[in-house]
Amino acid sequence: MAQYHNPEVQQQLDELQSRLKGPSVRALILERVFSEADRQRVDEDELETTHIARIWARLRTISVTRAVLDLTRRLELLAQLDYEHLLEQTGEQGSAQGIPDYPVWDRDRRTLFFRNQPVRTVRSLTVATHVVAILDAFQSLGWPHRIASPLADHADAQRLREAVANLNRGLTRIRFASDGSGEGIEWRVHRGR
């Protein structure tokens, strides 16, 4: 990780990086933040010998500083305002200008945003209950790339596929998909739009 002239910023970054150490945090990041494709691109030796932020930096082609900030934000170890402040102080905001690189579900406005742009509006919270349950679950978990199905009956893979199809209807810039097990949902950036 780069060294910064501002001792307060450097101390905050060092503390955040240290919070990402240890097998339990690594397991949590692998489960909640890494996609299946990410996990397949990392071998066991690298996991044992390399700090998880360095792995994330390699996978996302970003700096280690940005990786530390993004991972601690995704795990809710860093508040959004502190995240934006540190992005600015480290010069890491780049073209994103502190805009989260993950969706944000504004339940009150019934709108899903990605990079501060609306990508889907839900007409009714009481009609689209499965779509709302999925969005609520992702939002509460900080938008990992995969979550377990939040639908009441986890065994009903068909209902999950239908909910995901409904969620993708009219959606731009991102896509949701069943993880193939019938028990989880993933999101990813949609390159086609």
Side-chain angles (χ1 to χ4, degrees), residues 73-84:
R73 176 65 198 125
R74 297 286 291 278
L75 293 178
E76 297 182 349
L77 301 172
L78 181 63
Q80 183 66 31
L81 287 176
D82 293 331
Y83 171 75
E84 291 171 8

Side-chain angles (χ1 to χ4, degrees), residues 4-165:
Y4 295 92
H5 296 292
N6 182 328
E8 182 181 317
V9 168
Q10 187 63 54
Q11 181 181 359
Q12 287 176 304
L13 291 171
D14 291 343
E15 288 172 8
L16 292 172
Q17 187 171 23
S18 70
R19 293 183 80 181
L20 294 174
K21 290 183 178 175
S24 60
V25 174
R26 180 181 292 122
L28 187 64
I29 291 170
L30 288 171
E31 177 187 331
R32 291 191 178 174
V33 179
F34 280 46
S35 68
E36 182 59 35
D38 291 332
R39 288 188 289 274
Q40 290 175 0
R41 292 174 54 197
V42 179
D43 62 42
E44 290 295 322
D45 289 339
E46 185 178 19
L47 279 175
E48 294 298 321
T49 61
T50 307
H51 190 285
I52 196 75
R54 291 193 178 283
I55 297 170
W56 187 249
R58 178 182 62 80
L59 293 173
R60 292 294 177 265
T61 318
I62 57 177
S63 71
V64 175
T65 298
R66 180 64 185 252
V68 167
L69 294 173
D70 288 354
L71 289 173
T72 54
R73 176 65 198 125
R74 297 286 291 278
L75 293 178
E76 297 182 349
L77 301 172
L78 181 63
Q80 183 66 31
L81 287 176
D82 293 331
Y83 171 75
E84 291 171 8
H85 173 74
L86 286 169
L87 283 175
E88 182 180 327
Q89 292 299 307
T90 59
E92 287 294 333
Q93 64 192 106
S95 62
Q97 299 177 8
I99 296 170
D101 199 27
Y102 52 87
V104 174
W105 165 235
D106 185 333
R107 193 178 213 277
D108 294 335
R109 293 166 58 187
R110 300 181 331 275
T111 303
L112 179 64
F113 294 89
F114 182 65
R115 296 180 180 150
N116 282 359
Q117 298 296 316
V119 295
R120 174 79 155 73
T121 300
V122 176
R123 289 186 187 175
S124 169
L125 297 176
T126 58
V127 173
T129 56
H130 292 149
V131 167
V132 170
I134 292 168
L135 294 174
D136 284 348
F138 269 107
Q139 187 67 29
S140 71
L141 294 170
W143 288 93
H145 282 282
R146 182 203 176 276
I147 63 169
S149 173
L151 303 183
D153 184 2
H154 294 284
D156 190 351
Q158 179 61 32
R159 184 163 48 163
L160 179 61
R161 281 192 298 276
E162 289 170 4
V164 168

